[in-house]
Amino acid sequence: MDATNVTRITNIHLLGFQIPQSVTLLVFFLLILLYCMTISGNLLIITLVSYSKTLRSPMYFFLCHLSVLDIILVTVILPNTISTVLVKNYTMSLSGCLTQFYFFIMAEPSECLLLTVMSWDRYLAICKPLHYALKMNYKVCWTLVILCWILGTFVTGVDIVTISKLQFCGPNVIDHFFCDFDPILQLSCSDLTPALYEAHILGFIFIVTPFSIIIVSYAYIISAIFKMSSITRHKVFSTCSSHLTVVCIYYGTLVCVYLIPNVGQTQTITKLLSLLYTVFTPMINPLIYSLRNQELKKVAGKILQNFLKMY
């Protein structure tokens, strides 16, 4: 299509969840509650790890950065989602939509890679305990975390270049609660073949490959655990069960949304699956890690006692 004959869209309508008017306020307050719980829970994890001298192991260092990514992810997604609940035919600028997508796509691969690093950390701690302190030292931890952030930013840069080449001529309606990759492509009248090929390649690199590494890591971990005594087995497995739970929920929904063909899958199901990894997982991460971790509970108890003594 000749670029001179293209009518560029500047605003889009974000439909969000199509809910009855009678439950609008209920859904609004529920989303506000989810947002507050997510921010509070992840800030609590960051505070506990920063405050306590006993939580200095690599596992808690990575958990702290996971909480930062969860805060970014939910802050990018939920405010607009809440707006679509209150305002029917919610309108946002195309540039605002693309900005939301860029921050979202930066957080997602970074989190995938960080979860992979956390699984490797557990593998070294359980399967190679004698080499753990040497291979997972302070410098290595920072290098791995910085690499996760850099690669996440790299994906964002690639998508920025690809999307900047597209012509957006409508329709100007996105039937989703945030600006995801496929809904943005539906706004374009350009040839989408290069963008789709690129998405499949990046999806394989940043979703399939990390997930495969995690599976292999846990295969070795489970094999090593079964060779231990029953008492040691329970204690060791409890240190990685929280991470395994988060991985199953997070990657399970990512695979369903992005890698499995969605033929016959309604848009409502797609939205609900997307809600799981963009809102639900960041909210439950602090709960899973704190409820199943005695060290975090002890530090939280000490902070609470010190706070009560002040008053």
Side-chain angles (χ1 to χ4, degrees):
M1 184 178 291
D2 187 356
T4 59
N5 296 326
V6 172
T7 302
R8 294 177 179 271
I9 60 173
T10 57
N11 295 306
I12 62 168
H13 297 290
L14 198 63
L15 297 184
F17 290 97
Q18 303 299 298
I19 57 176
Q21 188 66 34
S22 58
V23 296
T24 295
L25 286 179
L26 177 62
V27 174
F28 169 75
F29 285 115
L30 179 61
L31 291 176
I32 290 288
L33 179 62
L34 289 176
Y35 184 62
C36 292
M37 288 176 61
T38 303
I39 298 297
S40 301
N42 283 288
L43 283 177
L44 178 62
I45 294 291
I46 296 171
T47 302
L48 292 178
V49 174
S50 302
Y51 169 84
S52 175
K53 295 181 179 179
T54 62
L55 303 179
R56 298 299 184 186
S57 67
M59 180 178 69
Y60 296 111
F61 176 78
F62 296 134
L63 179 59
C64 190
H65 283 271
L66 182 65
S67 292
V68 173
L69 283 170
D70 282 339
I71 290 173
I72 293 174
L73 181 60
V74 78
T75 302
V76 167
I77 300 298
L78 262 184
N80 277 2
T81 305
I82 294 171
S83 299
T84 62
V85 172
L86 287 182
V87 181
K88 304 304 178 183
N89 295 321
Y90 174 75
T91 302
M92 65 186 304
S93 66
L94 178 62
S95 60
C97 178
L98 296 179
T99 300
Q100 183 190 51
F101 171 71
Y102 295 150
F103 280 102
F104 161 73
I105 208 66
M106 182 273 291
E108 284 296 303
S110 297
E111 189 150 338
C112 289
L113 294 171
L114 188 57
L115 288 171
T116 307
V117 168
M118 293 173 74
S119 71
W120 186 59
D121 169 71
R122 292 298 84 206
Y123 163 76
L124 289 178
I126 295 171
C127 301
K128 307 286 184 180
L130 298 179
H131 304 283
Y132 180 70
L134 179 64
K135 291 187 176 182
M136 194 60 74
N137 56 47
Y138 183 78
K139 184 178 179 180
V140 171
C141 291
W142 268 110
T143 301
L144 290 172
V145 164
I146 291 173
L147 191 60
C148 291
W149 284 95
I150 290 176
L151 290 175
T153 306
F154 166 76
V155 175
T156 305
V158 171
D159 282 315
I160 288 174
V161 172
T162 301
I163 292 177
S164 65
K165 296 178 181 179
L166 300 178
Q167 298 285 347
F168 294 100
C169 51
N172 66 337
V173 176
I174 288 183
D175 188 9
H176 212 324
F177 63 91
F178 73 102
C179 296
D180 202 356
F181 185 70
D182 286 340
I184 289 177
L185 292 188
Q186 293 172 13
L187 304 177
S188 175
C189 51
S190 303
D191 179 17
L192 301 179
T193 304
L196 293 174
Y197 274 123
E198 178 187 287
H200 283 99
I201 293 172
L202 292 176
F204 180 82
I205 294 173
F206 290 99
I207 297 179
V208 177
T209 302
F211 188 49
S212 301
I213 294 173
I214 292 173
I215 290 176
V216 172
S217 297
Y218 272 99
Y220 281 104
I221 289 172
I222 292 172
S223 176
I225 288 175
F226 278 123
K227 296 176 182 179
M228 301 174 182
S229 63
S230 57
I231 298 176
T232 307
R233 184 186 306 164
H234 176 76
K235 182 179 179 180
V236 170
F237 186 74
S238 65
T239 64
C240 56
S241 59
S242 300
H243 177 259
L244 187 59
T245 303
V246 170
V247 166
C248 290
I249 297 173
Y250 185 76
Y251 271 101
T253 52
L254 277 182
V255 168
C256 290
V257 172
Y258 293 108
L259 298 183
I260 296 178
N262 57 2
V263 178
Q265 180 175 297
T266 66
Q267 189 62 23
T268 301
I269 294 177
T270 301
K271 291 178 185 179
L272 290 175
L273 289 173
S274 299
L275 194 68
L276 284 178
Y277 71 86
T278 57
V279 177
F280 183 68
T281 303
M283 181 196 70
I284 66 169
N285 279 354
L287 295 176
I288 291 175
Y289 280 104
S290 59
L291 291 176
R292 301 177 68 89
N293 191 296
Q294 296 300 323
E295 290 181 325
L296 282 174
K297 289 180 181 179
K298 289 179 181 178
V299 173
K302 289 180 180 178
I303 293 178
L304 182 60
Q305 288 177 0
N306 293 336
F307 178 79
L308 293 176
K309 287 179 181 178
M310 295 173 59
Y311 298 94

